[in-house]
């Protein structure tokens, strides 16, 4: 089993926990209170700006074969995901430019930026976000919410293009020579940050 596949096996029970979280369950039903999603949008908007910085830091260290992959990931995050947040913000009254990081967002971004000092370890640390959202999107798309704004959110992360970006990260992990003894705890810590991020400040 490849390292990325092994990490996914470790992460599957934690994805199930996320599916049961009230925020995720509310998105799945389409009845999440707007104030909760507004707060999530603001926090994730701030998170994604640092996520682009993580990809950029890793790109500086990347082997030539994967420099383009990381540039593509940074581009997709900066344009596609942030555009989604901007387009959804008005409907929820989100103040993206005036938002301040909550404790979960600050802790998660600090962890990722620190981990990105090492190419292999940074990839393991960020994989919970890429793989986790791709997996959540696919699961939620099996019975998508009828509420159009939440349906759009689900469709974004269930998109085959996002799954392809996730597979490219998996390939980078497998080719990075990462030490599983180091990769596993970083991946699991990332998964814990993912769960904590759903407890959005209100």
């Amino acid at each position: 089993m490849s390292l990325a596949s092994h990490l996914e096996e470790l992460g599957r029970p934690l994805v199930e926990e996320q599916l049961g979280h009230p925020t995720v369950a509310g998105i799945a039903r389409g009845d999440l209170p707007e104030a909760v999603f507004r707060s999530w949008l603001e926090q994730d908007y701030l998170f994604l700006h640092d996520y682009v910085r993580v990809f950029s830091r890793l790109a500086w260290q990347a082997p030539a074969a994967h420099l383009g992959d990381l540039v593509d990931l940074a581009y997709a995050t900066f344009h596609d995901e942030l555009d989604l947040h901007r387009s959804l913000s008005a409907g929820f009254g989100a103040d993206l430019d005036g938002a301040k990081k909550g404790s979960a967002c600050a802790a998660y971004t600090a962890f990722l930026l620190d981990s990105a000092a090492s190419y292999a370890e940074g990839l393991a640390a960020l994989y919970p976000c890429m793989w986790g959202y791709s997996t959540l999107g696919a699961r939620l798309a099996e019975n998508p919410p009828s509420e159009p704004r939440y349906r759009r959110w689900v469709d974004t992360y269930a998109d085959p293009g996002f799954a392809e970006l996730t597979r490219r990260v998996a390939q980078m992990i497998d080719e990075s020579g990462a030490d599983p003894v180091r990769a596993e705890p970083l991946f699991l810590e990332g998964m814990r940050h993912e769960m904590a991020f759903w407890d959005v400040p209100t």
Side-chain angles (χ1 to χ4, degrees):
M1 179 181 290
S2 72
L3 177 56
S5 295
H6 172 62
L7 296 177
E8 292 168 12
E9 287 297 311
L10 293 177
R12 281 193 173 81
L14 301 173
V15 170
E16 293 299 322
E17 284 188 38
Q18 290 185 55
L19 286 164
H21 190 283
T23 301
V24 181
I27 292 172
R29 294 190 305 268
D31 63 1
L32 182 70
E34 289 195 3
V36 177
F37 195 74
R38 177 171 62 247
S39 181
W40 180 88
L41 269 178
E42 292 171 349
Q43 292 300 300
D44 203 52
Y45 185 78
L46 297 171
F47 171 86
L48 289 173
H49 279 84
D50 278 342
Y51 205 46
V52 172
R53 293 182 175 95
V54 170
F55 286 133
S56 300
R57 191 174 193 188
L58 293 174
W60 184 80
Q61 306 171 67
H66 291 305
L67 175 59
D69 291 313
L70 286 157
V71 171
D72 287 347
L73 285 158
Y75 183 94
T77 302
F78 191 78
H79 292 282
D80 299 341
E81 284 194 80
L82 286 176
D83 281 352
L84 170 71
H85 288 52
R86 282 187 284 264
S87 65
L88 288 173
S89 64
F92 288 93
D95 181 10
L96 300 182
D97 294 327
K100 304 294 182 186
K101 286 182 182 179
S103 58
C105 182
Y108 196 3
T109 55
F111 162 70
L112 289 174
L113 287 164
D114 286 347
S115 298
S118 161
Y119 175 72
E121 294 182 5
L123 290 170
L126 70 81
Y127 197 48
C129 187
M130 290 294 303
W131 172 76
Y133 270 70
S134 181
T135 304
L136 285 173
R139 288 287 299 276
L140 296 178
E142 293 172 2
N143 185 23
S146 58
E147 207 284 347
R149 296 170 299 176
Y150 293 138
R151 173 65 181 264
R152 186 174 172 211
W153 186 92
V154 170
D155 288 346
T156 295
Y157 294 107
D159 187 270
F162 191 78
E164 173 58 27
L165 290 173
T166 301
R167 285 191 292 271
R168 287 161 74 177
V169 176
Q171 181 183 359
M172 284 187 274
I173 289 171
D174 290 338
E175 294 177 4
S176 70
D179 180 357
V181 174
R182 289 289 301 148
E184 287 182 18
L186 287 164
F187 176 83
L188 291 171
E189 184 171 352
M191 290 298 299
R192 287 191 290 271
H193 281 293
E194 283 291 312
M195 188 68 175
F197 203 90
W198 295 114
D199 293 324
V200 294
T202 53

